[in-house]
Amino acid sequence: MFTKPKYGWTEIHLEDFEGLGSYTQDIPVFVLKKGVQSVQEWTPLELWFDEEGSAFTLTADEETKIVTEGEFGAEEYNIKCSKLDLIREIKNDIEKYFPDWVAFSEEYAYAEEEAEAQEIYQKRERLLRELLAELEAALQKYTK
């Protein structure tokens, strides 16, 4: 679903849909927290992505769909992927490019000093590891 973050952007691919995610939105923290909540509470997964000029919402429950919002109106994509498979794919993509996701932050990108950047990186690294562990525990507990 997520490509390796680069230059403040990640590409988001699901079947025929292609979108973008910007580092102005803390995507890894946002999607991992929403994934944990969705698994623990058995609620739909709802993710909103800002493409800086347009946006899209991904909703996964019984059905998975993406609705885009832009200057040319709305478009809907129906995706053949279960909510749990989608959450696992998100988790795997963040793990696959973990150092890049840790650095995928507007705060980190604009740190003025190396020491400040290192502190931000270390805090984000701890937070993302905690969220990944929490999501894995929720998947193990609630999807047997």
Side-chain angles (χ1 to χ4, degrees), residues 8 23-24 52 103 105-113 116-117 120:
Y23 76 136
T24 60
E52 295 186 25
S105 155
E106 192 171 25
E107 180 185 26
Y108 176 78
Y110 289 108
E112 294 188 16
E113 297 179 19
E116 179 188 8
I120 292 166

Side-chain angles (χ1 to χ4, degrees), residues 85-104:
D85 286 343
L86 185 63
I87 289 171
R88 286 185 186 101
E89 185 174 347
I90 289 168
K91 179 182 170 291
N92 291 340
D93 288 346
I94 291 172
E95 290 172 332
K96 183 176 181 178
Y97 302 117
F98 187 76
D100 301 287
W101 284 111
V102 174
F104 191 78

Side-chain angles (χ1 to χ4, degrees), residues 16 36 41 55-56 68 79 89 98 100 112 134:
D16 293 339
V36 169
E41 298 175 8
F56 64 93
T68 63
I79 308 296
E89 185 174 347
F98 187 76
D100 301 287
E112 294 188 16
E134 188 177 357

Side-chain angles (χ1 to χ4, degrees), residues 55-99:
F56 64 93
T57 302
L58 183 154
T59 306
D61 196 20
E62 300 290 322
E63 298 178 333
T64 299
K65 68 179 178 178
I66 296 172
V67 177
T68 63
E69 316 158 18
E71 63 182 82
F72 301 110
E75 205 172 337
E76 187 171 308
Y77 297 81
N78 291 304
I79 308 296
K80 295 178 185 83
C81 183
S82 75
K83 175 181 85 169
L84 291 176
D85 286 343
L86 185 63
I87 289 171
R88 286 185 186 101
E89 185 174 347
I90 289 168
K91 179 182 170 291
N92 291 340
D93 288 346
I94 291 172
E95 290 172 332
K96 183 176 181 178
Y97 302 117
F98 187 76

